[in-house]
Amino acid sequence: MILIALLVPLAGAVLCWALGPWLRAAAGWLATAAVAASFGLILATGSGSQALFSWMPGFDFGLTLDRLSLLWALVITGVGFLIHLYSIGYMHGDRAFARFFAYMNFFIFAMLLLVLSDNWIGLLVGWGLVGLASYFLIGFWFERPSAVAAARKAFVINVVGDVGMMFAIFLIVANVHSIRFADTFSAVATLGAPVVFAICFGLFVGAAAKSAQVPLHAWLPDAMEGPTPVSALIHAATMVTAGVYLVARCAPLWDQSASAQMLVGTVGAVTAIGGAILGASQWDIKRILAYSTMSQIGYMIMGVGVGAYAGGIAHFFTHAFFKAQLFLASGIIIHALNNEQDVRLMGGLTKRMPLAFWGILTGVLAISGIPGFSGFFSKDQVIAGALAHGHPWMYAVGIATAGITAYYMFRLLFVTFLGEYRGNVDPAALGIARSTGSAQARELAAPHKPHHQAPSWIMGLPVAVLIVPTVFSGWLLFGSSVAPSLWTRFFAVQFAPSGTAPASVPEWVTTLVTFAVVLAGIGVATWRYATRSARANAVARLRNETLRMPKVLANAYYVDALIDVVFVRGAQILGAIFSRVVDPYVIDGAVRESAASAQALGTAMRALQSGFVRAYAFVLVLGVGCFLAYYYFVGAR
């Protein structure tokens, strides 16, 4: 059943690709049914393993469904099913409708292969196929140069991570002589600290690229060039959480290397607060959510990195619901506003799009960590876990990030839904340049009013369903204060107990301090965007804020510029040196000189070939005479 659950989405992808012209609209239902079938099979199986084949000793390939892979597989297929269903309405009328669902099913297959494999090679193959699927989906609208560039950027950065993973796997095979996870983890104590750190470092390079961690995060905001359901699938349930899964899966390796734990925890903490700050500087609704994903994945990486595995995984679980909900609700807005994504050109949409409003509102409350919502329980586990494992500065960063997150997410809510609709304002009045990504500014379209129609049920139903776990999943898993939570007991057998420092700060104090910082962030957002005076002068205020935005934030810390200078231009300079110097003068020069030398030698030898027998006889006699003279005068001594 595990194997069938893995192959059903692949079969759906092949059928949608091969029979797309005949399936037409039915392709969406076929792909959705394939993901639903996979979800049902995984849920019915629950746990188990499936041996596939053995190539040679130590190279055994199989699938496993333990508690960790079960959780990921259920989220991938469960949330993936809702996103597929939503996509039927969102992509309706697209000329490549069947191709889109072929890519979506292929993405699900690749993620399932990644999380269900019980060996490093299967993991690496799934890892690479996820990158390939993301390339297809991000660049789905390939007639847009920006989409092609974004897809290429995501693919290249992820390949950098793949190289790091491959070197780590080389080290594992060289030292363990097996590709099975179980063999590696059982031998970890015999590897030595330097080897374990080198393996963890290589694996984390792959995790950082896939999960958009600093400094390999630059592809994530550009990935918003794909259709909105793609953004939901990549950000909520699949690709960017693969790094969290990898670190959690390799917990025995990280538990043997304090240096590796510090590296991962530090990168996660820096990414969490760095992504949150960038989220506060964006106006594109999908880019705001993209940077929020980067920040929230930073929380997860920080948690699993320092050893708080249950907390980091818990945040993955709750994040899958509220982030999918946020993206799908924003897709309803974008769909209704003729693909407008700039929140400065929205406003006053509360009554006009009530489902989108409630979807965004509950998602914002959850991601901000408001008590009672799912994000409150999981985020507090990560923050408290950082302190319990002896990292007070990460604890402080986690609290600060919570406040910044609350600020920019409530800013999104207020600017999008409160006040008057601003779509009929000339984009130039807001100081919006063509480079901001606004559809109106980019196309210089005439002012337009939103299509105030309600979304079709097929787009509205997934958003409504996701509201339930966004609100209640925290209570289900972490609500008990008397006994260990269901979540902790579920993973008690998955992870070995790790050492924690004495609780210097009671958990209730952490909760109160974090909530106070969150309230402060909400208060600042309310003062700047929700008061009567702020709404009355919205156009002027948004214009001034755009103009006063620090350049370092407007340019996303200049990471893209740095990559361009160091890698892109560096590669161009290296290419110019090879094309203008090495290739013509060294490589071609060597070929030309070889040809000239051969020609000169041939000419010289040809001069000796007269064709007369007497000349050849003379040379022969002369040679014999020289040999005899040498033997007589030199050899005799």
Side-chain angles (χ1 to χ4, degrees):
M1 290 177 69
I2 301 173
L3 180 60
I4 295 173
L6 171 66
L7 295 180
V8 166
L10 178 61
V14 172
L15 290 175
C16 288
W17 178 267
L19 305 178
W22 294 274
L23 290 173
R24 297 183 180 178
W29 293 105
L30 172 64
T32 305
V35 179
S38 184
F39 175 81
L41 288 168
I42 291 169
L43 189 63
T45 305
S47 64
S49 60
Q50 171 66 54
L52 297 179
F53 64 93
S54 178
W55 180 34
M56 59 183 179
F59 283 73
D60 302 315
F61 294 82
L63 305 173
T64 185
L65 197 62
D66 59 5
R67 297 191 175 191
L68 186 65
S69 57
L70 173 64
L71 175 70
W72 249 267
L74 288 177
V75 170
I76 290 166
T77 53
V79 177
F81 163 74
L82 294 175
I83 295 173
H84 273 69
L85 183 64
Y86 176 95
S87 301
I88 295 174
Y90 192 91
M91 299 300 294
H92 178 72
D94 193 282
R95 62 181 181 179
F97 187 81
R99 176 167 62 87
F100 175 82
F101 282 97
Y103 291 163
M104 293 281 278
N105 263 201
F106 181 64
F107 202 116
I108 296 293
F109 160 74
M111 276 301 301
L112 287 177
L113 178 62
L114 189 159
V115 302
L116 294 177
S117 294
D118 67 354
N119 61 90
W120 297 107
I121 302 302
L123 172 73
L124 181 62
V125 172
W127 201 269
L129 291 180
V130 168
L132 178 63
S134 69
Y135 173 79
F136 291 151
L137 286 169
I138 295 170
F140 176 75
W141 286 321
F142 55 82
E143 65 275 8
R144 301 179 182 179
S146 57
V148 175
R152 184 169 57 242
K153 184 177 183 180
F155 186 79
V156 169
I157 292 179
N158 276 274
V159 167
V160 172
D162 296 350
V163 172
M165 282 195 65
M166 288 183 358
F167 276 107
I169 295 173
F170 292 159
L171 282 173
I172 290 170
V173 174
N175 288 274
V176 181
H177 310 294
S178 174
I179 63 170
R180 296 181 68 246
F181 292 150
D183 295 338
T184 303
F185 300 151
S186 62
V188 65
T190 65
L191 296 180
V195 175
V196 172
F197 177 78
I199 292 172
C200 290
F201 180 81
L203 292 175
F204 185 61
V205 171
K210 198 69 74 182
S211 292
Q213 299 296 286
V214 172
L216 300 176
H217 66 280
W219 67 270
L220 190 63
D222 291 353
M224 298 303 97
E225 289 291 339
T228 300
V230 172
S231 304
L233 193 63
I234 290 177
H235 286 248
T238 54
M239 183 171 174
V240 295
T241 63
V244 184
Y245 171 81
L246 180 63
V247 177
R249 171 61 69 192
C250 301
L253 289 169
W254 260 267
D255 289 340
Q256 291 291 320
S257 178
S259 299
Q261 287 188 329
M262 178 59 73
L263 170 66
V264 176
T266 300
V267 171
V270 171
T271 303
I273 194 166
I277 293 172
L278 287 178
S281 67
Q282 302 298 309
W283 294 111
D284 185 304
I285 189 169
K286 288 175 66 175
R287 282 183 172 261
I288 295 172
L289 297 179
Y291 281 116
S292 77
T293 298
M294 172 183 163
S295 178
Q296 298 304 305
I297 300 294
Y299 266 117
M300 302 174 206
I301 291 289
M302 182 177 71
V304 296
V306 300
Y309 299 109
I313 297 170
H315 201 51
F316 150 75
F317 181 71
T318 60
H319 176 268
F321 299 117
F322 63 68
K323 184 50 62 69
Q325 177 184 322
L326 284 167
F327 267 111
L328 297 187
S330 69
I332 292 175
I333 299 172
I334 295 168
H335 194 265
L337 298 184
N338 294 335
N339 298 319
E340 182 58 73
Q341 296 179 194
D342 196 314
V343 296
R344 294 169 294 187
L345 299 177
M346 298 179 186
L349 302 180
T350 304
K351 296 181 179 179
R352 298 168 178 174
M353 301 179 191
L355 180 59
F357 169 73
W358 286 107
I360 295 287
L361 175 62
T362 51
V364 166
L365 293 173
I367 196 174
S368 300
I370 301 301
F373 289 83
S374 58
F376 164 76
F377 298 95
S378 58
K379 187 181 293 185
D380 272 15
Q381 281 206 1
V382 173
I383 295 172
L387 184 63
H389 287 80
H391 301 285
W393 75 269
M394 295 184 192
Y395 173 79
V397 167
I399 294 175
T401 302
I404 300 171
T405 301
Y407 165 74
Y408 72 79
M409 290 305 299
F410 272 88
R411 181 186 80 148
L412 180 152
L413 179 71
F414 295 150
V415 175
T416 302
F417 291 101
L418 299 186
E420 299 295 329
Y421 179 67
R422 296 179 296 275
N424 56 355
V425 177
D426 181 2
L430 295 178
I432 305 172
R434 296 186 182 187
S435 61
T436 61
S438 164
Q440 284 183 318
R442 186 171 58 249
E443 300 172 4
L444 297 180
H448 64 275
K449 294 286 184 181
H451 291 268
H452 303 311
Q453 79 273 16
S456 64
W457 70 269
I458 208 166
M459 290 176 63
L461 180 61
V463 176
V465 170
L466 284 168
I467 290 176
V468 177
T470 294
V471 177
F472 296 110
S473 62
W475 289 104
L476 174 65
L477 299 175
F478 319 107
S480 174
S481 59
V482 179
S485 69
L486 174 62
W487 190 265
T488 303
R489 286 183 279 123
F490 182 77
F491 282 108
V493 299
Q494 186 77 43
F495 303 108
S498 56
T500 57
S504 57
V505 178
E507 187 174 345
W508 65 269
V509 173
T510 297
T511 299
L512 287 180
V513 172
T514 304
F515 184 52
V517 174
V518 166
L519 287 179
I522 296 173
V524 174
T526 303
W527 169 65
R528 298 195 66 181
Y529 303 104
T531 61
R532 180 173 297 179
S533 60
R535 285 183 289 166
N537 301 304
V539 172
R541 288 176 64 88
L542 294 175
R543 177 181 181 277
N544 291 335
E545 187 170 339
T546 301
L547 297 176
R548 292 198 306 266
M549 184 68 66
K551 290 185 177 181
V552 67
L553 297 183
N555 291 280
Y557 305 135
Y558 296 101
V559 172
D560 281 333
L562 182 63
I563 292 175
D564 182 68
V565 170
V566 176
F567 296 103
V568 177
R569 296 188 184 181
Q572 290 174 342
I573 292 172
L574 188 63
I577 292 173
F578 270 88
S579 65
R580 298 176 185 176
V581 179
V582 177
D583 188 59
Y585 296 110
V586 179
I587 298 176
D588 286 352
V591 173
R592 287 194 302 269
E593 289 301 320
S594 299
S597 299
Q599 185 177 13
L601 182 62
T603 302
M605 294 301 295
R606 186 169 62 249
L608 299 176
Q609 304 299 316
S610 63
F612 295 110
V613 176
R614 62 179 180 272
Y616 298 150
F618 173 75
V619 172
L620 180 61
V621 171
L622 181 63
V624 171
C626 291
F627 174 75
L628 293 175
Y630 176 82
Y631 179 76
Y632 180 77
F633 291 105
V634 179
R637 299 177 186 175

